[in-house]
Amino acid sequence: MKQVVLIVTGLFITLSSLAQSAANREEWVRIFNGKDLTGWDIKIAGQPLNDNYKNTFRVENGMLRVMYDQYKTFDGKYGHIYYNKPYAYYRVRFSYRFLGKQTPGGDPWNVRNSGIMLHSQSAQSLSLNQTFPVSLEMQLLGGLGDGPRHTGNLCTPGTQVYMSGKLRPEHCTDSDSKTYDGDRWITAEAIVLGDSIIHHIIEGDTVLTYERPQVGGGFVSKDHNWEAGRFDSQSANHWTSLANTALGEGFIALQAESHAIDFRNVEVLDLKGCTDPKAVNYKSYFVKSDNSRCRYKK
């Protein structure tokens, strides 16, 4: 009888452990399937929506690649590829690596320079000639072998943020990351909590934090005007009307700005989930949920 009780108790403990493990499992979703560009939209400056100019964005060997082997010169063809689902509260992580030399004709500051856009406007809403979406750019920079060059920085096309309670109107702000030279893989992550706080993480280290993202600041230029980003007048008027309003959600986009780069393992953890402490899968960092993802003991 004791042996039976021990077996039943052991089975109960095992099942309880498995249930707890399942409840604690983070539900990361691969938004890039490693096979094709299903679920993504392409917008390149001067080209219509989903015109993949000169096969800039492609999938090879499980990687989402930004390549320029069919270009003679870059010619200002700034582009982005947008996942077609918006997020507000989430974590996004991925790995990236730069490759070789910059494409001829690229701007000098774009050597080993790319990024992931957070809280971005949709691909469909860009002007035809627009170079960058209104967004928060987690800027990715590769080392040049001649000294410090941080990655996981912040750039703000059409946006502005606060740091330590103070408005930071400058277009780009450096992180305190290490420098990564060569064509090596780097793991990066952003924790994005609506219009409250955002963290940039490189190789497990939090390298930059900022708060209260907003529309505003114009676009990067000497005079901070929208024309610098080649917005048409209708778009410029639209974004001007939203100046200083909170930016709490948007799309995720990967950047193409003249230097070849590979991305892999692009995945998102949606932080809209179970906020009921009585549920078995309660997570304190989940936010703004209708509790539809909560699971309860029967």
Side-chain angles (χ1 to χ4, degrees), residues 59-130:
V59 179
E60 295 176 352
N61 300 320
M63 299 176 292
L64 197 164
R65 314 195 75 181
V66 180
M67 303 295 287
Y68 295 97
D69 52 324
Q70 297 179 22
Y71 283 62
K72 290 184 178 180
T73 61
F74 181 61
D75 292 332
K77 292 296 185 182
Y78 289 96
H80 299 79
I81 186 166
Y82 302 74
Y83 188 60
N84 62 12
K85 176 183 176 180
Y87 291 95
Y89 296 80
Y90 62 96
R91 292 166 62 187
V92 56
R93 66 186 179 195
F94 57 96
S95 295
Y96 71 92
R97 67 175 180 184
F98 289 101
L99 300 168
K101 296 183 179 181
Q102 185 187 25
T103 307
D107 288 313
W109 57 85
N110 285 329
V111 177
R112 292 185 175 259
N113 184 349
S114 188
I116 179 170
M117 321 307 272
L118 311 170
H119 281 352
S120 173
Q121 69 178 112
S122 68
Q124 292 82 357
S125 66
L126 266 71
S127 306
L128 177 64
N129 296 314
Q130 190 174 330

Side-chain angles (χ1 to χ4, degrees), residues 271-276 287-294 296:
L271 297 182
K272 285 188 176 181
C274 178
T275 57
D276 187 344
V287 291
K288 286 194 174 181
S289 170
D290 60 4
N291 288 334
S292 61
R293 291 176 59 185
C294 290
Y296 296 87

Side-chain angles (χ1 to χ4, degrees), residues 165-236:
K166 296 182 179 179
L167 179 65
R168 297 294 294 265
E170 59 265 43
H171 177 56
C172 290
T173 302
D174 260 12
S175 77
D176 61 2
S177 80
K178 298 176 182 178
T179 298
Y180 298 94
D181 293 314
D183 295 1
R184 57 168 293 184
W185 285 104
I186 306 298
T187 299
E189 179 179 342
I191 300 176
V192 184
L193 301 179
D195 60 5
S196 58
I197 191 166
I198 297 170
H199 306 282
H200 292 182
I201 299 170
I202 300 293
E203 293 291 332
D205 293 328
T206 300
V207 298
L208 188 68
T209 296
Y210 50 96
E211 310 96 31
R212 296 169 56 190
Q214 301 174 343
V215 176
F219 201 76
V220 56
S221 74
K222 182 178 179 180
D223 300 316
H224 290 281
N225 60 65
W226 295 97
E227 288 75 16
R230 290 159 59 184
F231 287 69
D232 64 23
S233 58
Q234 182 177 357
S235 292

Side-chain angles (χ1 to χ4, degrees), residues 150-170:
H150 301 140
T151 188
N153 309 316
L154 169 68
C155 293
T156 52
T159 54
Q160 58 190 18
V161 303
Y162 285 74
M163 291 185 183
S164 301
K166 296 182 179 179
L167 179 65
R168 297 294 294 265
E170 59 265 43

